[in-house]
Amino acid sequence: MIEVKMTPEDAALEVCRIVGAAGGHAYLVGGAVRDRLLGRNSKDLDLEVYGIAPQRLLSLLGERFPLDLVGASFGVVKLKGLDIDVSIPRRESQSGLGHKAFEVQSDPSLTVAEAASRRDFTINAIYLDLLTGAVEDPYEGEGDLRAGILRHVSEKFAEDPLRVLRGMQFVARFRLTPAPETIAICRSIGAENLPPERIFEEWSKLLLKGIAISAGLNFLRETGWVRYYPELEALIGCEQDPGWHPEGDVWTHTLQCLDAFARERTGDAREDLTVGLAVLCHDLGKPATTRFEDGRIRSRGHDEAGVAPTLSFMRRMTAEQRLLSEVLPLVQAHMAPVSLWHSKAGDNAVRRLAAKVVRIDRLIRVARADAIGSGTDPNEPILQDEALQWLAATAERLQVAAAAPRPILMGRHLIARGMEPSPRFGEILKRAYEAQLDGAFTDEAGAIAWLESKGMREGKPPQS
Ligand code: ATP
Ligand code: MG
C-alpha cells in the first residue's frame, strides 16, 4: 500500500508502469487528454488498460493502491482518494451483471480503435501514452479540437441519448461548432429512459462551466431536443418590444443573459447554479403574458407568471426542494430591483424584498445578467447600474444583503412576559415580524415596547 500521498499524475504514471511491466498497455483517455491538449488541468483522470486479464489487473493494482470497486459492474475500478478511474474496455455497452461484469465483459484484447468507437465525441476519444507521450487518435479528435468541432465518434452514438445533452454542455464549454452529421444523428435520437439526475448533471455543467451557454442552448434547439423543454421552447418567437429589447425574441434575450451570467460567475458552485437557473428561467412567464397593448408589446406580470413554468421545468430534473425554493423567488422578483428604484422605495420595501427572496445579493446578479442581456451590445454600460448599486448599498446598510431580516421578537420574549405557549404565539410573532419589516422597531427594547403598546402580554388578546 502507498503510504505517502501521491499526486494523481504520479499515481497515473505508476499505473502505466505497473501495467507495462506486466506486458500490457495503459492509456490516459477521455476528458483528461482533451483538457491537456487545451492546456488545462482536469479534476479526474481516466486510464484504460489493454492486454491484461481483468483479475490480474485487479491484483496488481490492489498491491499498490487502495481500490474502490463500486463501479466494477461498469468495468471500472477507482483508486481511492485519487480521482483516478482505471478500466478495461468492454465490447458491449450493457451492464447489469453486478460486480462480475468486470470479469465477464471487460475485454483486454480489444484494440484502441474498437474501444474508442464506444466513446461519445472525437475530442473525447484521444488516447495518450503517459510513458512515451505518444498519442493514438483513431477518430482524429485532435484536429476537431483545434478546429473547434463537436463530432460524434461512430453510429453507436445513438445507443445512449444522454450523449445529446453531453454535446450541449461540451459545445458551451469549449465553444464548439457541431458537425452537421452530429446534429443529424442527435435529431434521430429520442430522450427516453434518461434518469433525471443524469440529465440534471449535464444541465449543471452547462450552467457552471459553459462559457458560451447560448451555443449550448442553440445546439439543443438545432437537434430538436428543445421539444423536451416546452417552457424553453415557448420562448422561441415570443416577441418583445424592440424599444426595450432590440436584441429580438425572449429566447435570444435569455441566451444573451446566460452568456452575461457566465462571464460573472463566482466559482462557488451552489451560488452559481442557483443564480444560473434563475437567469435561465427568469422570463419563462413571458409567453403566457405577452400582449400588444397601448402601442407596445408588453408582458405585464411575467415575473409572477414565471413561477409555474420554472417549477415544471426544474421539477423534471431535480427533487431538491432547497434549490427550488431558492430559485423561485429570484424569478418571481427579478423586476424588483429596478421597480423599487423607480418608485424611490424606502428601507421597509427593501426589508420586505429581503424577507421574500432571502438573498438580495443573488437577485442583483440575476438583474445584472438581465440588464446586460438586453440590447445588442453586451459591452455597453447598463442603464440599470445605478438602481442595482442603490439596492446593493441599501441591503448592505440594513444587513439584509445575504439573509432575510432576523425576527427580533421571539417566543422566549413572550414566555418571559408571562404568556403560555399556545397557537396564538405564532400569530403574534407573525404580526411582530410584519411590524419589524415595516420599521416599527429595530431592536429588542423597541420590540417589547411595541408588544406592550399592542396590549399583547400576559395572555391578553391582541388589539389592532
Ligand atoms: P468532464 O470534464 O465533464 O469530466 P469528460 O469528457 O472527462 O468531461 P466524463 O463524464 O468524465 O467526461 O467521461 C470521461 C470520458 O468517458 C469521456 O471523455 C468519454 O470519452 C467517455 N464517456 C463518458 N460518458 C459517456 C457516454 N455517455 N457515452 C460515451 N462515452 C462517454
Ligand atoms: Mg471527466
PDB file of all heavy atoms in Angstrom, residues 248-271:
ATOM      1  N   GLY A 248     -34.228  41.108 -29.910  1.00  0.00           N
ATOM      2  CA  GLY A 248     -35.144  40.165 -30.560  1.00  0.00           C
ATOM      3  C   GLY A 248     -36.067  39.470 -29.577  1.00  0.00           C
ATOM      4  O   GLY A 248     -36.499  40.074 -28.589  1.00  0.00           O
ATOM      5  N   ASP A 249     -36.328  38.191 -29.824  1.00  0.00           N
ATOM      6  CA  ASP A 249     -37.336  37.482 -29.022  1.00  0.00           C
ATOM      7  C   ASP A 249     -36.791  37.068 -27.644  1.00  0.00           C
ATOM      8  O   ASP A 249     -35.612  37.295 -27.330  1.00  0.00           O
ATOM      9  CB  ASP A 249     -37.903  36.265 -29.788  1.00  0.00           C
ATOM     10  CG  ASP A 249     -36.854  35.204 -30.073  1.00  0.00           C
ATOM     11  OD1 ASP A 249     -35.691  35.334 -29.596  1.00  0.00           O
ATOM     12  OD2 ASP A 249     -37.170  34.224 -30.770  1.00  0.00           O
ATOM     13  N   VAL A 250     -37.650  36.487 -26.841  1.00  0.00           N
ATOM     14  CA  VAL A 250     -37.269  36.155 -25.462  1.00  0.00           C
ATOM     15  C   VAL A 250     -36.170  35.080 -25.436  1.00  0.00           C
ATOM     16  O   VAL A 250     -35.303  35.074 -24.561  1.00  0.00           O
ATOM     17  CB  VAL A 250     -38.502  35.701 -24.638  1.00  0.00           C
ATOM     18  CG1 VAL A 250     -38.121  35.482 -23.184  1.00  0.00           C
ATOM     19  CG2 VAL A 250     -39.618  36.731 -24.726  1.00  0.00           C
ATOM     20  N   TRP A 251     -36.201  34.188 -26.405  1.00  0.00           N
ATOM     21  CA  TRP A 251     -35.154  33.158 -26.500  1.00  0.00           C
ATOM     22  C   TRP A 251     -33.781  33.821 -26.660  1.00  0.00           C
ATOM     23  O   TRP A 251     -32.845  33.550 -25.900  1.00  0.00           O
ATOM     24  CB  TRP A 251     -35.479  32.230 -27.682  1.00  0.00           C
ATOM     25  CG  TRP A 251     -34.394  31.261 -28.045  1.00  0.00           C
ATOM     26  CD1 TRP A 251     -33.443  31.433 -29.018  1.00  0.00           C
ATOM     27  CD2 TRP A 251     -34.140  29.961 -27.463  1.00  0.00           C
ATOM     28  NE1 TRP A 251     -32.627  30.329 -29.082  1.00  0.00           N
ATOM     29  CE2 TRP A 251     -33.027  29.416 -28.146  1.00  0.00           C
ATOM     30  CE3 TRP A 251     -34.751  29.223 -26.440  1.00  0.00           C
ATOM     31  CZ2 TRP A 251     -32.515  28.160 -27.837  1.00  0.00           C
ATOM     32  CZ3 TRP A 251     -34.221  27.965 -26.142  1.00  0.00           C
ATOM     33  CH2 TRP A 251     -33.116  27.448 -26.833  1.00  0.00           C
ATOM     34  N   THR A 252     -33.678  34.725 -27.619  1.00  0.00           N
ATOM     35  CA  THR A 252     -32.399  35.416 -27.874  1.00  0.00           C
ATOM     36  C   THR A 252     -31.967  36.193 -26.627  1.00  0.00           C
ATOM     37  O   THR A 252     -30.801  36.153 -26.223  1.00  0.00           O
ATOM     38  CB  THR A 252     -32.568  36.400 -29.049  1.00  0.00           C
ATOM     39  OG1 THR A 252     -33.079  35.657 -30.158  1.00  0.00           O
ATOM     40  CG2 THR A 252     -31.262  37.062 -29.433  1.00  0.00           C
ATOM     41  N   HIS A 253     -32.925  36.877 -26.021  1.00  0.00           N
ATOM     42  CA  HIS A 253     -32.631  37.647 -24.812  1.00  0.00           C
ATOM     43  C   HIS A 253     -32.104  36.725 -23.698  1.00  0.00           C
ATOM     44  O   HIS A 253     -31.075  36.999 -23.080  1.00  0.00           O
ATOM     45  CB  HIS A 253     -33.901  38.371 -24.353  1.00  0.00           C
ATOM     46  CG  HIS A 253     -33.816  38.917 -22.961  1.00  0.00           C
ATOM     47  ND1 HIS A 253     -32.958  39.937 -22.612  1.00  0.00           N
ATOM     48  CD2 HIS A 253     -34.473  38.556 -21.818  1.00  0.00           C
ATOM     49  CE1 HIS A 253     -33.098  40.184 -21.313  1.00  0.00           C
ATOM     50  NE2 HIS A 253     -34.002  39.364 -20.807  1.00  0.00           N
ATOM     51  N   THR A 254     -32.795  35.608 -23.481  1.00  0.00           N
ATOM     52  CA  THR A 254     -32.389  34.688 -22.408  1.00  0.00           C
ATOM     53  C   THR A 254     -30.975  34.152 -22.662  1.00  0.00           C
ATOM     54  O   THR A 254     -30.160  34.052 -21.738  1.00  0.00           O
ATOM     55  CB  THR A 254     -33.404  33.524 -22.301  1.00  0.00           C
ATOM     56  OG1 THR A 254     -34.691  34.083 -22.031  1.00  0.00           O
ATOM     57  CG2 THR A 254     -33.032  32.554 -21.189  1.00  0.00           C
ATOM     58  N   LEU A 255     -30.665  33.831 -23.906  1.00  0.00           N
ATOM     59  CA  LEU A 255     -29.330  33.317 -24.221  1.00  0.00           C
ATOM     60  C   LEU A 255     -28.253  34.379 -23.951  1.00  0.00           C
ATOM     61  O   LEU A 255     -27.186  34.076 -23.404  1.00  0.00           O
ATOM     62  CB  LEU A 255     -29.279  32.842 -25.685  1.00  0.00           C
ATOM     63  CG  LEU A 255     -29.581  31.346 -25.907  1.00  0.00           C
ATOM     64  CD1 LEU A 255     -30.857  30.901 -25.243  1.00  0.00           C
ATOM     65  CD2 LEU A 255     -29.568  30.978 -27.366  1.00  0.00           C
ATOM     66  N   GLN A 256     -28.567  35.618 -24.310  1.00  0.00           N
ATOM     67  CA  GLN A 256     -27.599  36.698 -24.031  1.00  0.00           C
ATOM     68  C   GLN A 256     -27.416  36.893 -22.531  1.00  0.00           C
ATOM     69  O   GLN A 256     -26.306  37.150 -22.057  1.00  0.00           O
ATOM     70  CB  GLN A 256     -28.084  38.009 -24.660  1.00  0.00           C
ATOM     71  CG  GLN A 256     -28.041  38.003 -26.170  1.00  0.00           C
ATOM     72  CD  GLN A 256     -28.231  39.382 -26.803  1.00  0.00           C
ATOM     73  OE1 GLN A 256     -28.016  39.537 -27.995  1.00  0.00           O
ATOM     74  NE2 GLN A 256     -28.619  40.380 -26.034  1.00  0.00           N
ATOM     75  N   CYS A 257     -28.504  36.765 -21.784  1.00  0.00           N
ATOM     76  CA  CYS A 257     -28.414  36.914 -20.320  1.00  0.00           C
ATOM     77  C   CYS A 257     -27.525  35.808 -19.736  1.00  0.00           C
ATOM     78  O   CYS A 257     -26.730  36.047 -18.821  1.00  0.00           O
ATOM     79  CB  CYS A 257     -29.797  36.811 -19.679  1.00  0.00           C
ATOM     80  SG  CYS A 257     -30.905  38.142 -20.141  1.00  0.00           S
ATOM     81  N   LEU A 258     -27.670  34.598 -20.273  1.00  0.00           N
ATOM     82  CA  LEU A 258     -26.879  33.478 -19.755  1.00  0.00           C
ATOM     83  C   LEU A 258     -25.394  33.667 -20.071  1.00  0.00           C
ATOM     84  O   LEU A 258     -24.527  33.341 -19.250  1.00  0.00           O
ATOM     85  CB  LEU A 258     -27.395  32.162 -20.335  1.00  0.00           C
ATOM     86  CG  LEU A 258     -28.723  31.707 -19.704  1.00  0.00           C
ATOM     87  CD1 LEU A 258     -29.392  30.652 -20.570  1.00  0.00           C
ATOM     88  CD2 LEU A 258     -28.501  31.180 -18.283  1.00  0.00           C
ATOM     89  N   ASP A 259     -25.085  34.204 -21.231  1.00  0.00           N
ATOM     90  CA  ASP A 259     -23.676  34.466 -21.547  1.00  0.00           C
ATOM     91  C   ASP A 259     -23.113  35.543 -20.630  1.00  0.00           C
ATOM     92  O   ASP A 259     -21.951  35.476 -20.206  1.00  0.00           O
ATOM     93  CB  ASP A 259     -23.515  34.848 -23.024  1.00  0.00           C
ATOM     94  CG  ASP A 259     -23.709  33.639 -23.945  1.00  0.00           C
ATOM     95  OD1 ASP A 259     -23.689  32.493 -23.442  1.00  0.00           O
ATOM     96  OD2 ASP A 259     -23.892  33.837 -25.164  1.00  0.00           O
ATOM     97  N   ALA A 260     -23.956  36.528 -20.315  1.00  0.00           N
ATOM     98  CA  ALA A 260     -23.532  37.574 -19.370  1.00  0.00           C
ATOM     99  C   ALA A 260     -23.292  36.951 -17.991  1.00  0.00           C
ATOM    100  O   ALA A 260     -22.279  37.216 -17.338  1.00  0.00           O
ATOM    101  CB  ALA A 260     -24.590  38.664 -19.278  1.00  0.00           C
ATOM    102  N   PHE A 261     -24.211  36.094 -17.580  1.00  0.00           N
ATOM    103  CA  PHE A 261     -24.053  35.384 -16.301  1.00  0.00           C
ATOM    104  C   PHE A 261     -22.733  34.603 -16.286  1.00  0.00           C
ATOM    105  O   PHE A 261     -21.989  34.622 -15.308  1.00  0.00           O
ATOM    106  CB  PHE A 261     -25.257  34.453 -16.084  1.00  0.00           C
ATOM    107  CG  PHE A 261     -24.973  33.258 -15.223  1.00  0.00           C
ATOM    108  CD1 PHE A 261     -24.888  33.376 -13.843  1.00  0.00           C
ATOM    109  CD2 PHE A 261     -24.748  32.006 -15.799  1.00  0.00           C
ATOM    110  CE1 PHE A 261     -24.592  32.275 -13.051  1.00  0.00           C
ATOM    111  CE2 PHE A 261     -24.457  30.904 -15.017  1.00  0.00           C
ATOM    112  CZ  PHE A 261     -24.367  31.039 -13.642  1.00  0.00           C
ATOM    113  N   ALA A 262     -22.439  33.915 -17.396  1.00  0.00           N
ATOM    114  CA  ALA A 262     -21.232  33.079 -17.447  1.00  0.00           C
ATOM    115  C   ALA A 262     -19.957  33.906 -17.270  1.00  0.00           C
ATOM    116  O   ALA A 262     -18.963  33.410 -16.745  1.00  0.00           O
ATOM    117  CB  ALA A 262     -21.188  32.307 -18.776  1.00  0.00           C
ATOM    118  N   ARG A 263     -20.000  35.150 -17.717  1.00  0.00           N
ATOM    119  CA  ARG A 263     -18.799  35.997 -17.574  1.00  0.00           C
ATOM    120  C   ARG A 263     -18.602  36.455 -16.138  1.00  0.00           C
ATOM    121  O   ARG A 263     -17.524  36.907 -15.773  1.00  0.00           O
ATOM    122  CB  ARG A 263     -18.909  37.228 -18.484  1.00  0.00           C
ATOM    123  CG  ARG A 263     -18.715  36.909 -19.966  1.00  0.00           C
ATOM    124  CD  ARG A 263     -18.524  38.189 -20.785  1.00  0.00           C
ATOM    125  NE  ARG A 263     -19.713  39.017 -20.818  1.00  0.00           N
ATOM    126  CZ  ARG A 263     -20.719  38.859 -21.685  1.00  0.00           C
ATOM    127  NH1 ARG A 263     -20.661  37.906 -22.583  1.00  0.00           N
ATOM    128  NH2 ARG A 263     -21.772  39.650 -21.644  1.00  0.00           N
ATOM    129  N   GLU A 264     -19.661  36.352 -15.309  1.00  0.00           N
ATOM    130  CA  GLU A 264     -19.555  36.892 -13.943  1.00  0.00           C
ATOM    131  C   GLU A 264     -19.823  35.846 -12.870  1.00  0.00           C
ATOM    132  O   GLU A 264     -20.291  36.166 -11.786  1.00  0.00           O
ATOM    133  CB  GLU A 264     -20.516  38.091 -13.800  1.00  0.00           C
ATOM    134  CG  GLU A 264     -20.162  39.204 -14.761  1.00  0.00           C
ATOM    135  CD  GLU A 264     -20.947  40.495 -14.530  1.00  0.00           C
ATOM    136  OE1 GLU A 264     -21.834  40.515 -13.659  1.00  0.00           O
ATOM    137  OE2 GLU A 264     -20.650  41.475 -15.221  1.00  0.00           O
ATOM    138  N   ARG A 265     -19.541  34.565 -13.196  1.00  0.00           N
ATOM    139  CA  ARG A 265     -19.742  33.533 -12.175  1.00  0.00           C
ATOM    140  C   ARG A 265     -18.782  33.742 -11.015  1.00  0.00           C
ATOM    141  O   ARG A 265     -17.688  34.275 -11.205  1.00  0.00           O
ATOM    142  CB  ARG A 265     -19.493  32.141 -12.792  1.00  0.00           C
ATOM    143  CG  ARG A 265     -20.742  31.516 -13.389  1.00  0.00           C
ATOM    144  CD  ARG A 265     -20.469  30.095 -13.785  1.00  0.00           C
ATOM    145  NE  ARG A 265     -19.406  30.024 -14.756  1.00  0.00           N
ATOM    146  CZ  ARG A 265     -19.568  29.681 -16.042  1.00  0.00           C
ATOM    147  NH1 ARG A 265     -20.743  29.333 -16.496  1.00  0.00           N
ATOM    148  NH2 ARG A 265     -18.538  29.665 -16.856  1.00  0.00           N
ATOM    149  N   THR A 266     -19.190  33.279  -9.820  1.00  0.00           N
ATOM    150  CA  THR A 266     -18.341  33.475  -8.634  1.00  0.00           C
ATOM    151  C   THR A 266     -17.339  32.344  -8.459  1.00  0.00           C
ATOM    152  O   THR A 266     -16.341  32.493  -7.762  1.00  0.00           O
ATOM    153  CB  THR A 266     -19.196  33.500  -7.350  1.00  0.00           C
ATOM    154  OG1 THR A 266     -19.828  32.212  -7.208  1.00  0.00           O
ATOM    155  CG2 THR A 266     -20.252  34.576  -7.415  1.00  0.00           C
ATOM    156  N   GLY A 267     -17.645  31.164  -9.024  1.00  0.00           N
ATOM    157  CA  GLY A 267     -16.804  29.999  -8.799  1.00  0.00           C
ATOM    158  C   GLY A 267     -17.334  29.116  -7.673  1.00  0.00           C
ATOM    159  O   GLY A 267     -16.878  27.995  -7.484  1.00  0.00           O
ATOM    160  N   ASP A 268     -18.314  29.635  -6.930  1.00  0.00           N
ATOM    161  CA  ASP A 268     -18.961  28.831  -5.889  1.00  0.00           C
ATOM    162  C   ASP A 268     -20.133  28.105  -6.558  1.00  0.00           C
ATOM    163  O   ASP A 268     -21.096  28.733  -7.002  1.00  0.00           O
ATOM    164  CB  ASP A 268     -19.435  29.779  -4.778  1.00  0.00           C
ATOM    165  CG  ASP A 268     -20.287  29.075  -3.720  1.00  0.00           C
ATOM    166  OD1 ASP A 268     -21.017  28.121  -4.060  1.00  0.00           O
ATOM    167  OD2 ASP A 268     -20.220  29.510  -2.560  1.00  0.00           O
ATOM    168  N   ALA A 269     -20.040  26.778  -6.637  1.00  0.00           N
ATOM    169  CA  ALA A 269     -20.976  26.011  -7.463  1.00  0.00           C
ATOM    170  C   ALA A 269     -22.428  26.203  -7.036  1.00  0.00           C
ATOM    171  O   ALA A 269     -23.319  26.380  -7.865  1.00  0.00           O
ATOM    172  CB  ALA A 269     -20.601  24.533  -7.450  1.00  0.00           C
ATOM    173  N   ARG A 270     -22.671  26.175  -5.754  1.00  0.00           N
ATOM    174  CA  ARG A 270     -24.036  26.295  -5.243  1.00  0.00           C
ATOM    175  C   ARG A 270     -24.644  27.647  -5.630  1.00  0.00           C
ATOM    176  O   ARG A 270     -25.766  27.762  -6.100  1.00  0.00           O
ATOM    177  CB  ARG A 270     -23.969  26.141  -3.716  1.00  0.00           C
ATOM    178  CG  ARG A 270     -25.251  26.343  -3.022  1.00  0.00           C
ATOM    179  CD  ARG A 270     -26.085  25.124  -3.168  1.00  0.00           C
ATOM    180  NE  ARG A 270     -27.479  25.459  -3.066  1.00  0.00           N
ATOM    181  CZ  ARG A 270     -28.455  24.571  -3.069  1.00  0.00           C
ATOM    182  NH1 ARG A 270     -28.162  23.304  -3.202  1.00  0.00           N
ATOM    183  NH2 ARG A 270     -29.689  24.937  -2.960  1.00  0.00           N
ATOM    184  N   GLU A 271     -23.835  28.665  -5.392  1.00  0.00           N
ATOM    185  CA  GLU A 271     -24.228  30.031  -5.695  1.00  0.00           C
ATOM    186  C   GLU A 271     -24.527  30.185  -7.195  1.00  0.00           C
ATOM    187  O   GLU A 271     -25.558  30.707  -7.600  1.00  0.00           O
ATOM    188  CB  GLU A 271     -23.020  30.910  -5.303  1.00  0.00           C
ATOM    189  CG  GLU A 271     -23.212  32.373  -5.432  1.00  0.00           C
ATOM    190  CD  GLU A 271     -24.177  32.883  -4.391  1.00  0.00           C
ATOM    191  OE1 GLU A 271     -24.348  32.244  -3.340  1.00  0.00           O
ATOM    192  OE2 GLU A 271     -24.773  33.935  -4.676  1.00  0.00           O
TER     193      GLU A 271
END
